Structures are given as structure tokens and as C-alpha cells.
């Protein structure tokens, strides 16, 4: 199975992985931003949204403050 690039949205404390490869991804992101979601400055490659969320929980969530400080000008890709 091929991997897709995912971004992460924080909507009212819920982390939502969003594939950038889906045809509707732009509409979904705009809709989430309308709900005051925040796009986190991190991307990853994953086979599906569940695996992307696992990557977030394993590698990103506890280090988000440090990662955000390091990525003030561009996003960080986590492998």
C-alpha cells in the first residue's frame, strides 16, 4: 500500500489527521479552519489516517512544544 502525506489539525483539542492526497482535502481543511481548527506545523507519511494518528501519538504529541519552537518558518516532516 502506498503512503500519503498527512497534516494534523487540532480542532477543539481533537487531533485530526488529513491526507493532502485526497481530492477533497482542500475543502476539508477550509471547513476545519472555519471551525477554528489549527493546522499543526508537522507532516508525516502514512498508509491511512489511523496510522498517521499513531505517528502523531508516538512521535509528535509529547514533543509538540519543542517541535513548534524549531519550526517557526516551515513545517517539520516526521518519519
Amino acid at each position: 500500500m502506498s503512503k500519503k502525506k498527512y497534516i494534523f489539525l487540532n480542532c477543539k483539542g481533537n487531533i485530526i489527521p488529513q491526507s493532502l492526497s485526497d481530492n477533497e482535502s482542500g475543502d476539508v481543511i477550509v471547513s476545519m479552519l472555519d471551525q477554528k481548527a489549527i493546522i499543526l506545523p508537522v507532516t508525516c507519511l502514512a498508509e491511512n489516517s489511523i496510522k498517521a494518528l499513531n505517528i502523531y501519538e508516538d512521535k509528535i504529541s509529547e514533543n509538540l512544544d519543542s517541535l513548534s519552537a524549531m519550526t517557526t518558518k516551515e513545517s517539520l516532516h516526521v518519519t
Side-chain angles (χ1 to χ4, degrees), residues 11-69:
C11 187
K12 300 176 184 173
N14 296 312
I15 302 301
I16 302 164
Q18 174 61 50
S19 169
L20 295 178
S21 302
D22 295 340
N23 290 336
E24 309 86 30
S25 63
D27 294 337
V28 171
I29 292 168
V30 168
S31 175
M32 295 300 295
L33 293 175
D34 286 344
Q35 296 178 42
K36 307 296 186 219
I38 298 169
I39 298 175
L40 302 178
V42 180
T43 62
C44 75
L45 290 176
E47 293 175 3
N48 57 49
S49 60
I50 294 171
K51 290 186 179 187
L53 188 57
N54 289 339
I55 290 170
Y56 176 85
E57 292 169 348
D58 293 344
K59 297 184 177 182
I60 300 168
S61 64
E62 292 182 16
N63 301 308
L64 190 58
D65 290 336
S66 300
L67 295 172
S68 294

